[in-house]
Short mmCIF file of all heavy atoms in Angstrom, two decimals:
data_model
loop_
_atom_site.label_atom_id
_atom_site.label_comp_id
_atom_site.label_asym_id
_atom_site.label_seq_id
_atom_site.Cartn_x
_atom_site.Cartn_y
_atom_site.Cartn_z
N VAL A 1 -2.17 -11.18 11.57
CA VAL A 1 -3.66 -11.39 11.30
C VAL A 1 -3.81 -11.20 9.85
O VAL A 1 -3.14 -10.45 9.18
CB VAL A 1 -4.51 -10.37 12.13
CG1 VAL A 1 -4.19 -8.98 11.79
CG2 VAL A 1 -5.92 -10.72 12.03
N SER A 2 -4.75 -12.07 9.27
CA SER A 2 -5.04 -12.06 7.84
C SER A 2 -6.54 -11.87 7.58
O SER A 2 -7.40 -12.14 8.50
CB SER A 2 -4.55 -13.30 7.24
OG SER A 2 -3.14 -13.50 7.41
N LEU A 3 -6.82 -11.43 6.41
CA LEU A 3 -8.12 -11.28 5.97
C LEU A 3 -8.24 -11.82 4.49
O LEU A 3 -7.63 -11.25 3.61
CB LEU A 3 -8.59 -9.82 5.88
CG LEU A 3 -10.05 -9.57 5.56
CD1 LEU A 3 -10.97 -10.12 6.71
CD2 LEU A 3 -10.35 -8.06 5.35
N GLN A 4 -8.82 -13.05 4.45
CA GLN A 4 -9.13 -13.63 3.14
C GLN A 4 -10.38 -13.06 2.56
O GLN A 4 -11.36 -13.16 3.17
CB GLN A 4 -9.11 -15.19 3.32
CG GLN A 4 -9.43 -15.83 1.98
CD GLN A 4 -8.37 -15.76 0.96
OE1 GLN A 4 -7.15 -15.85 1.29
NE2 GLN A 4 -8.64 -15.57 -0.33
N MET A 5 -10.31 -12.41 1.34
CA MET A 5 -11.46 -11.79 0.76
C MET A 5 -11.74 -12.51 -0.57
O MET A 5 -10.91 -12.50 -1.42
CB MET A 5 -11.12 -10.37 0.52
CG MET A 5 -10.69 -9.56 1.82
SD MET A 5 -10.39 -7.83 1.55
CE MET A 5 -9.10 -7.77 0.36
N ASN A 6 -12.84 -13.18 -0.58
CA ASN A 6 -13.34 -13.86 -1.78
C ASN A 6 -14.51 -13.15 -2.44
O ASN A 6 -15.21 -12.40 -1.75
CB ASN A 6 -13.72 -15.28 -1.53
CG ASN A 6 -12.54 -16.11 -0.95
OD1 ASN A 6 -11.38 -15.86 -1.31
ND2 ASN A 6 -12.78 -17.01 -0.08
N ASN A 7 -14.70 -13.40 -3.67
CA ASN A 7 -15.76 -12.99 -4.43
C ASN A 7 -15.95 -11.36 -4.20
O ASN A 7 -17.03 -10.83 -3.91
CB ASN A 7 -17.12 -13.50 -3.95
CG ASN A 7 -18.29 -13.17 -4.83
OD1 ASN A 7 -18.22 -12.83 -6.02
ND2 ASN A 7 -19.59 -13.37 -4.30
N LEU A 8 -14.88 -10.67 -4.49
CA LEU A 8 -14.81 -9.27 -4.32
C LEU A 8 -15.71 -8.53 -5.18
O LEU A 8 -15.91 -8.94 -6.36
CB LEU A 8 -13.34 -8.77 -4.36
CG LEU A 8 -12.44 -9.02 -3.19
CD1 LEU A 8 -10.98 -9.00 -3.63
CD2 LEU A 8 -12.76 -8.05 -2.02
N ARG A 9 -16.24 -7.38 -4.69
CA ARG A 9 -17.21 -6.58 -5.46
C ARG A 9 -16.63 -5.10 -5.59
O ARG A 9 -15.80 -4.78 -4.71
CB ARG A 9 -18.57 -6.62 -4.75
CG ARG A 9 -19.07 -7.89 -4.50
CD ARG A 9 -20.25 -7.87 -3.51
NE ARG A 9 -20.84 -9.10 -3.18
CZ ARG A 9 -21.71 -9.36 -2.15
NH1 ARG A 9 -22.06 -8.30 -1.38
NH2 ARG A 9 -22.25 -10.48 -2.01
N PRO A 10 -17.06 -4.45 -6.56
CA PRO A 10 -16.61 -3.02 -6.69
C PRO A 10 -16.80 -2.24 -5.38
O PRO A 10 -16.07 -1.39 -5.03
CB PRO A 10 -17.32 -2.42 -7.86
CG PRO A 10 -17.61 -3.59 -8.67
CD PRO A 10 -17.86 -4.77 -7.70
N GLU A 11 -17.85 -2.51 -4.75
CA GLU A 11 -18.24 -1.78 -3.48
C GLU A 11 -17.21 -2.09 -2.27
O GLU A 11 -17.31 -1.54 -1.23
CB GLU A 11 -19.63 -2.01 -2.97
CG GLU A 11 -20.02 -3.49 -2.90
CD GLU A 11 -20.75 -3.96 -4.10
OE1 GLU A 11 -20.37 -3.55 -5.25
OE2 GLU A 11 -21.75 -4.83 -3.94
N ASP A 12 -16.41 -3.13 -2.49
CA ASP A 12 -15.33 -3.49 -1.50
C ASP A 12 -14.10 -2.57 -1.63
O ASP A 12 -13.23 -2.59 -0.83
CB ASP A 12 -14.94 -4.94 -1.56
CG ASP A 12 -16.02 -5.82 -1.16
OD1 ASP A 12 -16.79 -5.60 -0.22
OD2 ASP A 12 -16.21 -6.87 -1.99
N THR A 13 -14.11 -1.71 -2.65
CA THR A 13 -12.97 -0.87 -2.93
C THR A 13 -12.83 0.10 -1.77
O THR A 13 -13.79 0.82 -1.41
CB THR A 13 -13.11 -0.06 -4.23
OG1 THR A 13 -13.14 -0.94 -5.34
CG2 THR A 13 -12.10 1.01 -4.43
N ALA A 14 -11.63 0.06 -1.13
CA ALA A 14 -11.37 1.01 0.03
C ALA A 14 -9.95 0.81 0.45
O ALA A 14 -9.19 -0.06 -0.05
CB ALA A 14 -12.30 0.61 1.14
N VAL A 15 -9.57 1.65 1.33
CA VAL A 15 -8.24 1.39 1.99
C VAL A 15 -8.56 0.55 3.33
O VAL A 15 -9.58 0.94 3.97
CB VAL A 15 -7.65 2.73 2.54
CG1 VAL A 15 -6.35 2.47 3.28
CG2 VAL A 15 -7.26 3.65 1.29
N TYR A 16 -7.87 -0.57 3.42
CA TYR A 16 -8.21 -1.44 4.53
C TYR A 16 -7.12 -1.33 5.59
O TYR A 16 -5.87 -1.25 5.32
CB TYR A 16 -8.11 -2.90 3.95
CG TYR A 16 -9.38 -3.26 3.25
CD1 TYR A 16 -9.67 -2.74 2.05
CD2 TYR A 16 -10.36 -4.14 3.85
CE1 TYR A 16 -10.85 -3.06 1.33
CE2 TYR A 16 -11.47 -4.44 3.19
CZ TYR A 16 -11.72 -3.88 1.96
OH TYR A 16 -12.95 -4.17 1.29
N TYR A 17 -7.55 -1.16 6.80
CA TYR A 17 -6.69 -0.82 7.96
C TYR A 17 -6.75 -2.02 8.88
O TYR A 17 -7.81 -2.52 9.36
CB TYR A 17 -7.19 0.39 8.61
CG TYR A 17 -6.96 1.66 7.85
CD1 TYR A 17 -8.12 2.03 7.09
CD2 TYR A 17 -5.87 2.41 7.92
CE1 TYR A 17 -8.01 3.24 6.34
CE2 TYR A 17 -5.75 3.56 7.20
CZ TYR A 17 -6.88 3.97 6.37
OH TYR A 17 -6.74 5.15 5.64
N CYS A 18 -5.57 -2.44 9.42
CA CYS A 18 -5.40 -3.33 10.50
C CYS A 18 -5.63 -2.64 11.78
O CYS A 18 -5.16 -1.46 11.92
CB CYS A 18 -4.00 -4.06 10.40
SG CYS A 18 -3.71 -5.20 11.76
N ALA A 19 -6.30 -3.28 12.75
CA ALA A 19 -6.57 -2.61 13.99
C ALA A 19 -6.32 -3.46 15.14
O ALA A 19 -6.56 -4.75 15.16
CB ALA A 19 -8.03 -2.09 14.04
N ALA A 20 -5.77 -3.04 16.31
CA ALA A 20 -5.53 -3.79 17.46
C ALA A 20 -6.24 -3.15 18.65
O ALA A 20 -6.16 -1.91 18.88
CB ALA A 20 -4.04 -3.90 17.76
N LYS A 21 -6.95 -3.92 19.40
CA LYS A 21 -7.67 -3.44 20.66
C LYS A 21 -7.08 -4.22 21.83
O LYS A 21 -7.16 -5.48 21.80
CB LYS A 21 -9.14 -3.65 20.51
CG LYS A 21 -9.94 -3.20 21.75
CD LYS A 21 -11.47 -3.45 21.43
CE LYS A 21 -12.22 -2.93 22.62
NZ LYS A 21 -13.74 -3.13 22.45
N TYR A 22 -6.66 -3.54 22.83
CA TYR A 22 -6.09 -4.10 24.00
C TYR A 22 -7.19 -4.92 24.73
O TYR A 22 -8.23 -4.50 24.98
CB TYR A 22 -5.44 -3.12 24.92
CG TYR A 22 -4.84 -3.77 26.10
CD1 TYR A 22 -3.55 -4.36 25.93
CD2 TYR A 22 -5.41 -3.82 27.31
CE1 TYR A 22 -2.87 -4.97 26.98
CE2 TYR A 22 -4.85 -4.43 28.37
CZ TYR A 22 -3.51 -4.97 28.20
OH TYR A 22 -2.92 -5.58 29.36
N GLY A 23 -6.80 -6.13 25.10
CA GLY A 23 -7.75 -6.98 25.86
C GLY A 23 -8.12 -8.26 25.07
O GLY A 23 -8.69 -8.14 23.91
N ARG A 24 -7.77 -9.40 25.63
CA ARG A 24 -7.97 -10.64 24.89
C ARG A 24 -9.30 -10.94 24.40
O ARG A 24 -9.67 -11.43 23.33
CB ARG A 24 -7.46 -11.77 25.71
CG ARG A 24 -5.91 -11.84 25.86
CD ARG A 24 -5.45 -13.01 26.72
NE ARG A 24 -4.10 -13.19 26.49
CZ ARG A 24 -3.40 -14.21 27.11
NH1 ARG A 24 -4.06 -14.98 28.05
NH2 ARG A 24 -2.13 -14.44 26.94
N GLN A 25 -10.29 -10.56 25.30
CA GLN A 25 -11.75 -10.84 24.87
C GLN A 25 -12.51 -9.61 24.44
O GLN A 25 -13.68 -9.64 24.30
CB GLN A 25 -12.41 -11.52 26.13
CG GLN A 25 -11.81 -12.83 26.50
CD GLN A 25 -11.85 -13.94 25.36
OE1 GLN A 25 -12.59 -13.78 24.45
NE2 GLN A 25 -11.09 -14.93 25.59
N ASN A 26 -11.78 -8.56 24.31
CA ASN A 26 -12.41 -7.26 23.90
C ASN A 26 -12.61 -7.26 22.39
O ASN A 26 -11.93 -6.52 21.68
CB ASN A 26 -11.64 -6.03 24.32
CG ASN A 26 -11.71 -5.91 25.78
OD1 ASN A 26 -12.49 -6.30 26.49
ND2 ASN A 26 -10.77 -5.18 26.38
N LEU A 27 -13.48 -8.07 21.87
CA LEU A 27 -13.63 -8.29 20.44
C LEU A 27 -14.09 -6.99 19.75
O LEU A 27 -14.96 -6.24 20.31
CB LEU A 27 -14.71 -9.37 20.25
CG LEU A 27 -14.84 -9.85 18.84
CD1 LEU A 27 -13.69 -10.58 18.32
CD2 LEU A 27 -16.17 -10.71 18.70
N LEU A 28 -13.44 -6.67 18.70
CA LEU A 28 -13.92 -5.65 17.80
C LEU A 28 -15.09 -6.09 17.01
O LEU A 28 -15.04 -7.16 16.38
CB LEU A 28 -12.75 -5.20 16.90
CG LEU A 28 -11.63 -4.37 17.47
CD1 LEU A 28 -10.48 -4.35 16.62
CD2 LEU A 28 -12.13 -3.00 17.93
N THR A 29 -16.21 -5.39 17.08
CA THR A 29 -17.44 -5.75 16.38
C THR A 29 -17.97 -4.59 15.53
O THR A 29 -17.46 -3.58 15.59
CB THR A 29 -18.47 -6.28 17.36
OG1 THR A 29 -18.95 -5.04 18.13
CG2 THR A 29 -17.94 -7.31 18.36
N ALA A 30 -19.06 -4.95 14.89
CA ALA A 30 -19.73 -3.90 14.03
C ALA A 30 -20.21 -2.75 15.03
O ALA A 30 -20.38 -1.61 14.47
CB ALA A 30 -20.89 -4.50 13.27
N ALA A 31 -20.33 -2.90 16.29
CA ALA A 31 -20.75 -1.90 17.19
C ALA A 31 -19.62 -1.13 17.79
O ALA A 31 -19.82 -0.18 18.54
CB ALA A 31 -21.63 -2.53 18.35
N SER A 32 -18.38 -1.52 17.47
CA SER A 32 -17.24 -0.87 18.00
C SER A 32 -17.01 0.50 17.40
O SER A 32 -17.07 0.67 16.19
CB SER A 32 -15.98 -1.71 17.78
OG SER A 32 -16.07 -3.01 18.40
N GLY A 33 -16.71 1.50 18.28
CA GLY A 33 -16.32 2.80 17.82
C GLY A 33 -14.85 2.78 17.42
O GLY A 33 -14.09 1.98 17.95
N LEU A 34 -14.52 3.69 16.63
CA LEU A 34 -13.12 3.84 16.20
C LEU A 34 -12.23 4.13 17.34
O LEU A 34 -11.06 3.70 17.41
CB LEU A 34 -12.95 4.96 15.18
CG LEU A 34 -13.73 4.76 13.81
CD1 LEU A 34 -13.39 5.84 12.88
CD2 LEU A 34 -13.42 3.42 13.21
N ASN A 35 -12.74 4.84 18.38
CA ASN A 35 -11.99 5.24 19.56
C ASN A 35 -11.67 3.97 20.47
O ASN A 35 -10.85 4.06 21.39
CB ASN A 35 -12.61 6.30 20.37
CG ASN A 35 -13.95 5.85 20.91
OD1 ASN A 35 -14.42 4.78 20.60
ND2 ASN A 35 -14.64 6.76 21.64
N GLU A 36 -12.30 2.81 20.17
CA GLU A 36 -11.91 1.58 20.96
C GLU A 36 -10.69 0.90 20.35
O GLU A 36 -10.13 0.07 21.05
CB GLU A 36 -13.15 0.59 20.74
CG GLU A 36 -14.40 1.03 21.44
CD GLU A 36 -15.53 0.04 21.32
OE1 GLU A 36 -15.15 -1.18 21.47
OE2 GLU A 36 -16.60 0.40 21.15
#
């Protein structure tokens, strides 16, 4: 899985983590908790 990041800003500075959630349609969204 890839993340193309354009027009980066200083506020994008962070450690970026790849995440996997079991379930084909169990989309990770802004409402997802870290425990998902």
